Amino acid sequence: RSIKKAAGDGDATNYEALMYEGYGSAGVAIIVEALTDNRNRTAMLVRSTLTKKGGNLGTDGSVSYMFERKGVIVTDKEIDEDTIMMTALDNGAEDVIVNDENYEIYTTTDAFLKVKDALTEIGVKEFITSEITFVANNLVELDDETTEKVQELVAMLEDIDDVQNVYHNLSE
């Protein structure tokens, strides 16, 4: 059995989806989504990375209440503002933000596909971003030095092989 396992025969690797919550420098809330075959290794790597950069790992629910699961659609300004806004809101979007270069559309997870399909029907050809993600309820603004520390921490967490996504409430 050991030889077969080492050779890869009958590979029964079990992957688990895990979510870690913690704080970075100056109390920035961080959520780390991971997919791993060894939860102990991943927990150790996330914990040690947070500790090295002045943060700490929290318990379940310690920061998740500061985030909401939402659909986020970002598209270029190829179609006029009124058409985008009416289409998105009529199909269940919660908010449409008009920026200099693009539109940001926020939806519930249930309305995400309906809004995206409606935008495609009116002629939106390309989406810059189109995903269901965690969106922070309140953003934290910090000085440049602390912001850089938190960005380094996020980059280090993203470099861990098992980590899929890192969410934070830092205003960039």
Side-chain angles (χ1 to χ4, degrees):
R1 280 188 292 171
S2 295
I3 293 170
K4 283 184 179 182
K5 185 176 178 183
D9 291 346
D11 187 20
T13 305
N14 236 2
Y15 287 96
E16 291 180 80
L18 303 172
M19 191 167 86
Y20 298 99
E21 301 177 32
Y23 293 94
S25 297
V28 173
I30 297 174
I31 294 179
V32 178
E33 285 184 334
L35 185 65
T36 183
D37 60 342
N38 185 336
R39 72 175 23 217
N40 293 330
R41 177 192 66 228
T42 305
M44 185 266 311
L45 288 170
V46 170
R47 180 180 289 112
S48 67
T49 302
L50 282 166
T51 305
K52 283 179 194 171
K53 288 294 182 179
N56 60 333
L57 195 60
T59 58
D60 286 348
S62 62
V63 299
S64 60
Y65 71 93
M66 295 184 215
F67 294 83
E68 233 178 298
R69 196 97 168 137
K70 290 186 179 187
V72 178
I73 301 169
V74 180
T75 182
D76 287 331
K77 286 188 158 183
E78 57 190 270
I79 296 177
D80 72 282
E81 184 178 325
D82 291 338
T83 306
I84 288 284
M85 201 165 289
M86 291 306 294
T87 302
L89 295 174
D90 287 346
N91 285 284
E94 290 181 336
D95 196 11
V96 177
I97 298 172
V98 180
N99 297 319
D100 292 340
E101 296 138 21
N102 56 37
Y103 301 114
E104 288 180 33
I105 302 158
Y106 293 91
T107 71
T108 62
T109 55
D110 296 337
F112 175 73
L113 286 175
K114 185 177 178 186
V115 172
K116 187 175 176 186
D117 291 343
L119 292 172
T120 304
E121 284 178 24
I122 63 164
V124 175
K125 294 178 184 74
E126 192 175 320
F127 297 101
I128 297 169
T129 302
S130 171
E131 63 186 355
I132 293 179
T133 184
F134 281 103
V135 176
N137 294 330
N138 297 309
L139 297 177
V140 176
E141 289 198 32
L142 302 173
D143 60 76
D144 291 342
E145 185 180 329
T146 311
T147 298
E148 192 173 312
K149 276 185 182 178
V150 173
Q151 288 171 339
E152 284 178 25
L153 169 60
V154 169
M156 286 177 71
L157 287 168
E158 288 173 341
D159 287 343
I160 298 172
D161 288 340
D162 295 338
V163 171
Q164 302 298 305
N165 295 303
V166 178
Y167 307 103
H168 55 82
N169 66 345
L170 176 65
S171 177
E172 294 182 45

